[in-house]
């Protein structure tokens, strides 16, 4: 009598599609979004240390490059990459808003003068 292999649940079956396509697109989206966001904000003329937090979105996109054999880890990586690409897109405008709000609050506490 032949022994049948145990059934593998669908969540643990290996993926057949090319795993690198989505991380590659997310990397391009993060770089283009970060470049466009930075160039379209007023902080482009500020000091270079304001570009340092772009490390966080790039680290999130880099996490999506980890090859995974299971659907749940692949989905987690793609979500991290998508969040990284979106963060790279809006970071410069968010930093501009925060810096303007801090400047306004400091101006208000100094008596407006």
């Amino acid at each position: 009598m032949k022994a049948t292999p145990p059934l593998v649940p669908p969540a643990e079956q290996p993926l057949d599609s090319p795993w690198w396509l989505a991380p590659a697109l997310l990397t391009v989206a993060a770089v283009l979004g970060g470049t466009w966001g930075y160039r379209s904000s007023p902080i482009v003329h500020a000091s270079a240390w304001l570009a340092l937090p772009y490390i966080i979105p790039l680290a999130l996109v880099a996490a999506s490059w980890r090859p995974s054999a299971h659907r749940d880890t692949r989905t987690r990586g793609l979500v991290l990459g998508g969040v990284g690409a979106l963060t790279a897109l809006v970071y410069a405008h968010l930093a501009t808003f925060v810096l303007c709000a801090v400047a306004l609050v400091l101006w208000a506490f100094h008596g407006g003068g």
Side-chain angles (χ1 to χ4, degrees):
M1 182 176 202
K2 274 182 153 179
T4 59
L7 294 175
V8 178
E12 297 196 14
Q13 291 177 351
L15 300 173
D16 296 331
S17 61
W19 65 269
W20 53 267
L21 184 60
L25 291 175
L26 288 171
T27 301
V28 169
V31 170
L32 290 178
T35 303
W36 179 78
Y38 191 72
R39 299 286 294 170
S40 67
S41 75
I43 66 171
V44 72
H45 302 293
S47 61
W49 65 269
L50 285 173
L52 188 63
Y54 275 106
I55 292 173
I56 295 170
L58 292 178
L60 290 173
V61 172
S64 70
W65 276 98
R66 184 172 175 238
S68 60
H70 304 295
R71 292 196 188 279
D72 57 344
T73 56
R74 179 180 179 191
T75 303
R76 200 174 312 137
L78 292 179
V79 167
L80 284 175
V83 168
L86 182 65
T87 305
L89 178 65
V90 299
Y91 163 71
H93 295 286
L94 184 64
T96 302
F97 174 75
V98 168
L99 289 173
C100 288
V102 167
L104 185 65
V105 167
L106 290 174
W107 175 78
F109 279 124
H110 271 273

